Amino acid sequence: MRAEKPDFGSLEADVLEDIINSLYVESPTYLRELRLVSRHCKAIADPILYKSVELNEEREKSLITAETVRRLLDPADSLSWHVRKLVIRNRDRSYRYSYGDVHTFSDNKLAADDLVSIVNQLHHLQTFWYVSLQLQRNSLYHSSDEWSSTLRMKCLPRNSWDVNRAMPESLIDTLEQQWPHVKLTVGNHDRADVDIKLLASPLLTSLRFSTLNRRLAPEWNNRSLLPELRDVLLKSPNLRELNIEFELNSQYKELSLPLVPSDRLPALQTLAFSGAPAPYDFNLNHCQLLKRCVDWSHLRRLDLNTSCPEHLFKEIGGNLCNLQSLKMGIRLAGMTNPWSNSGPMTSSSKGPVAAFFRSVPGLLDLHIDDYSASSQVIAPIILDSQRLLQTLSYQAARETWGHEQDSISYAWITAHFRKLHERCPDLSQLVIDVPLDHSKRSLDYAPLLSRFHRLRTLKINVQLTGNASAFVRAYRQDAMGSVPMPSLNAPTAQDVAQRLFKDFFVNDAYSRLTDL
C-alpha cells in the first residue's frame, strides 16, 4: 500500500504549533526550508520565523537591515503582522577602554523617524530591544560558572534599551502612546548623563544601572551615581527588576543608596548587585531603612553577588515570602579585600545565615560561592531548610582551593548527597565541587549522584585536594610560573568519567540527564 503524504493541515493546532516551535528552537534554517515547500507551509512557518526581527546597525549588516526596514514599512508586506519582538542592535561610535585607548566605528545609526514609523506600522508588538554592541571589557572579574550566567539571564526581561546614546524622545512618546503595555528595560551603561526622559517613562519595568564607572571621565572616579538612582526609584512605581552594577575597575569602598525613612521604593520582584564584588555597604542602619522603604513580599529573585550581609538577613529574613532564587557568597564579615579567602565559618557566625535560610523555605534556585571553606557548616543549613530546590550550585571560589589544608572542607561529603536526594527529589540542575585524592574518593560520588533521576544538567568540578601531591605547595609558592604546571593523572580522570557515564547512561535506563 502506498503511504500517504503527511498533511500538516490535518494536525491539531496545538500539535502543529509544538512542531513548528521545536523546529525554530533547533534551527531557524529548518523553518526557512519548510516555508519553501508550499504556500500552506509558508503560512504556518512565517509567524514563528518572523516573530523576532533584528535591525543591525553594523556596516556588514547594512544591506540586510535596509531590506528589512523596507519590508516593515511596506503596508502590503505581511512581515509587520508577524513581528512580536523588535531587536535593534547598535555599535557605539567610540568605546574607551579603562586604560585610555579609543576605538572608533562608522556612524550607521538608524534614523529616529524610521524607528518611529516602524513602531507605528507593527500590529502585535510585545517586546522591544535596543542593544549596544560593546567590545569585551578587560576585567579581572568573571562569572564563576555557567549557572550564574543562566540565572542572570532568567532575571532579565524581554524588552530593552541598552545603549550609550539617548533614546529618541519621539520614539519614547510613540511607544507610550501606541504600545502602553510594552515593558521596557533600560541598561544605563557608560553614560555621563542620566536619560531623564527615558527613566521617567511609565513603561520602565527593568533597570540595570551602572555606578562607579571610571570610563565616564577621570573626575568621575569617586562618583557613585547612587543619589541619581534613588531619584529614579522614587519616580518609578512600575519598576519590577533592578540590577545595580558596580564598575569592575572601581576602588573598593562602602556605598549605599542615600535613603531617608519617608522614601518608598517600588515593589521589586528582582534585585541584583553585579560587577565588582562587595562594594555595597549593608550596615545596620541602612538595612533597617531598606526594610522600611521596600515591600519585600514581592521579591522573587535576590542576587547578592559575593556578599553575605548579616544585617540584611536579620532585617528582611521574615519578609521574603515569595523568594524563589538566591545567589550569594559565603565570606565572613569585616573582610577588606573582597577577593581573599576569609577562613572557615564558625558555629557562632552561622546563626544569621541559618535563620535566614529557615525564613525562605520556598527556594527553587540556589547559587553559593564559598570563599570560607564552610561547606561542612552551610550544607546542613541548606539541607535542613530547603525541600523544593530544582537548581543548586555550590562551588568554592577558584582562588580559595587551599594548598595548606585538605580541600575537602570546600566540598560536600557523601552524607550530604544522601540527604540532598531525600530532601530535594525534584533537583534538575546540580553544579558541585568533588575532591579527588590518591584514595579516589570522588568515585564514591558517582552512584550517589545517579540516584537523582530528575537531573538534566550535572556539572562536576573535580578538584585535587591539598594533600594529593607535593606539586601543589611548590606551584603555589612560585606564582610567576617558573615551576611547570603539573599534568593530570589521565588514567584516574578517565576512570572517574567512565564511572559517571556508566552510572547515568548504562545502569540507569530512566536517566533524564542531557548535559554532563
Side-chain angles (χ1 to χ4, degrees), residues 137-153:
R137 299 176 179 177
N138 290 332
S139 161
L140 295 176
Y141 177 78
H142 298 280
S143 175
S144 59
D145 59 67
E146 297 169 1
W147 184 91
S148 59
S149 300
T150 302
L151 176 60
R152 284 193 291 272
M153 289 302 296

Side-chain angles (χ1 to χ4, degrees), residues 155-157 184-186 204-208 239-242:
C155 294
L156 292 177
L184 179 64
T185 296
V186 175
L204 180 64
T205 59
S206 181
L207 173 63
R208 187 171 70 253
L239 188 69
R240 294 295 176 263
E241 303 185 357
L242 173 63

Side-chain angles (χ1 to χ4, degrees), residues 403 471-486:
H403 58 281
F471 65 70
V472 179
R473 188 182 306 277
Y475 183 74
R476 286 284 189 172
Q477 290 176 349
D478 193 343
M480 299 306 295
S482 60
V483 177
M485 176 69 77

Side-chain angles (χ1 to χ4, degrees), residues 51-311:
K51 65 180 179 181
S52 177
V53 168
E54 176 180 311
L55 304 179
N56 196 315
E57 294 184 344
E58 291 185 281
R59 177 181 296 175
E60 57 268 26
K61 303 291 183 63
S62 60
L63 293 178
I64 297 176
T65 296
E67 174 62 16
T68 306
V69 169
R70 184 197 65 77
R71 292 189 59 190
L72 287 172
L73 294 177
D74 184 1
D77 197 303
S78 62
L79 180 60
S80 60
W81 287 89
H82 302 316
V83 177
R84 265 66 174 172
K85 176 179 179 180
L86 181 61
V87 180
I88 301 173
R89 298 195 183 275
N90 158 266
R91 186 184 290 280
D92 301 323
R93 295 186 62 189
S94 64
Y95 184 86
R96 183 180 295 275
Y97 285 97
S98 57
Y99 48 82
D101 294 341
V102 177
H103 294 254
T104 303
F105 304 96
S106 61
D107 190 353
N108 190 39
K109 293 187 288 190
L110 291 165
D113 291 344
D114 286 341
L115 292 175
V116 170
S117 299
I118 289 172
V119 170
N120 280 323
Q121 187 67 25
L122 299 178
H123 297 273
H124 303 288
L125 183 63
Q126 299 173 353
T127 301
F128 185 83
W129 280 76
Y130 203 113
V131 184
S132 176
L133 300 179
Q134 299 177 346
L135 298 182
Q136 181 66 36
R137 299 176 179 177
N138 290 332
S139 161
L140 295 176
Y141 177 78
H142 298 280
S143 175
S144 59
D145 59 67
E146 297 169 1
W147 184 91
S148 59
S149 300
T150 302
L151 176 60
R152 284 193 291 272
M153 289 302 296
K154 288 169 64 177
C155 294
L156 292 177
R158 298 172 296 170
N159 320 283
S160 174
W161 178 275
D162 183 9
V163 65
N164 292 347
R165 58 184 169 93
M167 187 173 182
E169 293 191 7
S170 57
L171 182 55
I172 299 175
D173 293 336
T174 301
L175 285 171
E176 292 178 355
Q177 296 169 11
Q178 187 77 8
W179 302 103
H181 300 296
V182 165
K183 297 180 180 180
L184 179 64
T185 296
V186 175
N188 195 47
H189 284 291
D190 302 332
R191 293 283 303 281
D193 59 320
V194 178
D195 195 340
I196 300 299
K197 173 73 173 178
L198 177 60
L199 297 183
S201 173
L203 303 181
L204 180 64
T205 59
S206 181
L207 173 63
R208 187 171 70 253
F209 195 94
S210 294
T211 186
L212 277 178
N213 198 326
R214 300 179 66 182
R215 280 191 297 273
L216 296 177
E219 63 272 16
W220 283 51
N221 283 0
N222 296 319
R223 182 173 178 182
S224 72
L225 293 180
L226 289 180
E228 287 83 349
L229 175 58
R230 169 186 173 269
D231 294 339
V232 170
L233 295 178
L234 294 177
K235 299 175 182 178
S236 305
N238 296 323
L239 188 69
R240 294 295 176 263
E241 303 185 357
L242 173 63
N243 184 342
I244 303 177
E245 183 181 63
F246 291 93
E247 166 61 27
L248 304 180
N249 294 319
S250 64
Q251 297 179 352
Y252 302 120
K253 55 182 68 179
E254 295 179 345
L255 297 163
S256 58
L257 287 167
L259 301 175
V260 297
S262 60
D263 287 346
R264 292 297 177 267
L265 302 187
L268 297 174
Q269 296 177 358
T270 296
L271 175 60
F273 299 86
S274 61
Y280 200 87
D281 182 15
F282 291 102
N283 62 69
L284 177 58
N285 291 334
H286 182 65
C287 290
Q288 290 174 343
L289 283 172
L290 285 174
K291 178 182 180 180
R292 180 172 182 172
C293 298
V294 179
D295 182 359
W296 294 96
S297 64
H298 297 275
L299 196 70
R300 296 186 178 182
R301 300 183 180 98
L302 178 60
D303 183 349
L304 295 168
N305 202 350
T306 63
S307 298
C308 182
E310 175 181 331
H311 295 306

Side-chain angles (χ1 to χ4, degrees), residues 338-449:
W339 297 107
S340 68
N341 177 11
S342 62
M345 178 177 285
T346 63
S347 57
S348 60
S349 59
K350 73 175 183 179
V353 177
F356 178 76
F357 271 91
R358 287 195 298 269
S359 72
V360 287
L363 290 179
L364 301 179
D365 302 322
L366 176 61
H367 172 94
I368 293 180
D369 287 327
D370 188 352
Y371 292 82
S372 61
S374 299
S375 66
Q376 307 312 304
V377 176
I378 299 299
I381 293 175
I382 296 173
L383 295 172
D384 290 340
S385 61
Q386 305 301 317
R387 287 181 175 271
L388 304 178
L389 285 179
Q390 298 177 5
T391 299
L392 173 62
S393 174
Y394 191 104
Q395 297 186 90
R398 293 288 189 268
E399 63 277 3
T400 59
W401 279 90
H403 58 281
E404 292 147 353
Q405 59 181 343
D406 185 345
S407 293
I408 183 62
S409 57
Y410 289 95
W412 286 33
I413 60 178
T414 54
H416 294 154
F417 287 110
R418 292 192 184 97
K419 191 168 184 179
L420 180 65
H421 177 258
E422 297 171 1
R423 299 277 296 185
C424 303
D426 293 331
L427 200 67
S428 61
Q429 296 185 55
L430 179 62
V431 182
I432 203 76
D433 289 316
V434 172
L436 176 64
D437 62 11
H438 288 311
S439 66
K440 299 183 181 181
R441 185 184 303 149
S442 61
L443 293 181
D444 298 334
Y445 289 80
L448 283 173
L449 293 174

